[in-house]
Amino acid sequence: MKKLIVNTLLFIKSIFIPQPIELTNGKIVEPPRPLAPYIVVGLFIASIYFMQVTGFDFPRLIRRIEQLVPIMGRIFNPEIAYAPDVLGPIVDTIQMSFLGSFLGVVLALPVAFIASSNINKNKFVVVLTRIILVFFRTYPIIVYAMILVLLFYYGTFAGTVAITIFTFSIVSKMLYEHIETIDLGAFEAMQATGSSVLKSFITAILPEILPTYYSISLYSFEINIRHAAVLGYVNAGGIGMLMNDRMSLNQWERLGTILFALFIVVFSIETLSKTIRKRLV
């Protein structure tokens, strides 16, 4: 037992403090200490601490999962006759996602142009624009939906505006980061001939970033389908309102019908979007 403990300690020591390496010429080289073991230990200690702070109880989690089995059995036995009632809210969800995504990506293009430091030489405007984008990205889409419901009351309008704000903030960031990585040779050449910054951007840069712009836009639409389903929980329209009602009434078979319909919609849109994005690359 003592030998095992000693060998274990030596092994641990070799991980944190690598042994010197003797080269063929007889020179001894001290290898640098790896960071990975220290990071792993730090993450392990942090996980233990956070489990205590949050009250995470793994045995309790296992017990609760066992209680979930009967509910899942009812969900996976959907009530097919309920399908016609799901069609309307599903269509609302798709409409919210499409319109919100479209408006968001349209607004994001000029803002990404303004926030690109390699094009916009006004540092104050660049920093200010990025701070505004950070502000919009700080809050989850559900927070915007809750605020907008208070302003515009229940319905898909509040959900559509929330999706627009979320899409605008995310696409703007992804797009200006992409613009800052492209070659500005053609852009600078046009400016040297006297073209304005806007005209140079439209002629030299826009055609180069359009495939990425379209790809990001399609990906945002995919994500927004899922977000639109959640927005119904705060009465911002869409299929989420119906899901919330069925769960509150313990109508798990009808919830299964809703989830199955949502899966079909998400899978179809993802497949179509993936096909289109492949053609854009």
Side-chain angles (χ1 to χ4, degrees):
M1 184 66 181
K2 183 178 180 180
K3 184 177 180 181
L4 177 62
I5 295 175
V6 172
N7 291 334
T8 303
L9 292 175
L10 290 175
F11 174 74
I12 295 174
K13 180 182 177 181
S14 66
I15 293 176
F16 288 91
I17 306 175
Q19 297 297 317
I21 301 174
E22 184 177 356
L23 303 179
T24 54
N25 58 4
K27 184 178 180 180
I28 304 297
V29 177
E30 294 285 345
R33 294 188 178 186
L35 291 177
Y38 295 94
I39 294 175
V40 171
V41 171
L43 291 174
F44 179 76
I45 294 173
S47 299
I48 297 298
Y49 173 72
F50 293 147
M51 287 174 67
Q52 294 177 351
V53 171
T54 59
F56 182 83
D57 187 351
F58 190 76
R60 183 184 178 189
L61 176 64
I62 299 299
R63 292 194 300 269
R64 293 295 183 180
I65 289 178
E66 292 177 355
Q67 298 178 12
L68 183 64
V69 173
I71 296 176
M72 295 303 296
R74 294 177 61 184
I75 291 176
F76 281 99
N77 184 28
E79 183 179 326
I80 304 302
Y82 186 66
D85 297 327
V86 179
L87 182 60
I90 280 287
V91 172
D92 289 342
T93 299
I94 296 173
Q95 292 173 339
M96 287 169 52
S97 303
F98 179 82
L99 182 58
S101 301
F102 177 75
L103 295 175
V105 299
V106 168
L107 294 173
L109 183 58
V111 173
F113 163 74
I114 296 172
S116 301
S117 59
N118 58 341
I119 295 176
N120 188 358
K121 301 304 181 182
N122 189 325
K123 300 300 182 182
F124 174 78
V125 175
V126 170
V127 172
L128 179 62
T129 305
R130 293 189 179 187
I131 290 175
I132 293 173
L133 292 176
V134 170
F135 172 80
F136 282 121
R137 289 197 309 274
T138 300
Y139 306 102
I141 189 172
I142 196 74
V143 173
Y144 292 118
M146 294 173 64
I147 296 173
L148 292 167
V149 163
L150 295 176
L151 293 176
F152 305 115
Y153 304 106
Y154 302 154
T156 55
F157 180 74
T160 302
V161 177
I163 292 174
T164 300
I165 296 173
F166 174 80
T167 305
F168 160 75
S169 62
I170 297 298
V171 175
S172 296
K173 181 180 187 299
M174 296 178 69
L175 195 58
Y176 82 66
E177 287 182 345
H178 175 68
I179 292 173
E180 290 182 337
T181 63
I182 64 176
D183 183 14
L184 296 182
F187 174 80
E188 293 171 348
M190 288 196 64
Q191 282 200 294
T193 61
S195 297
S196 64
V197 175
L198 180 59
K199 184 178 180 181
S200 301
F201 175 81
I202 295 173
T203 305
I205 295 180
L206 189 58
E208 186 174 348
I209 67 172
L210 276 180
T212 301
Y213 176 58
Y214 293 148
S215 179
I216 294 173
S217 301
L218 289 169
Y219 183 63
S220 299
F221 178 49
E222 294 178 24
I223 296 175
N224 288 335
I225 287 288
R226 301 179 181 86
H227 286 156
V230 176
L231 295 182
Y233 282 92
V234 293
N235 297 312
I239 195 67
M241 295 178 67
L242 195 61
M243 291 171 59
N244 191 27
D245 291 341
R246 300 290 75 81
M247 292 179 67
S248 62
L249 297 173
N250 293 330
Q251 295 177 346
W252 305 113
E253 290 83 2
R254 292 188 173 185
L255 177 63
T257 305
I258 297 170
L259 294 178
F260 181 69
L262 184 61
F263 169 77
I264 292 176
V265 170
V266 172
F267 179 77
S268 301
I269 291 175
E270 282 192 357
T271 303
L272 178 62
S273 176
K274 185 177 180 180
T275 303
I276 296 174
R277 281 190 277 119
K278 281 184 177 180
R279 293 181 178 273
L280 292 175
V281 176

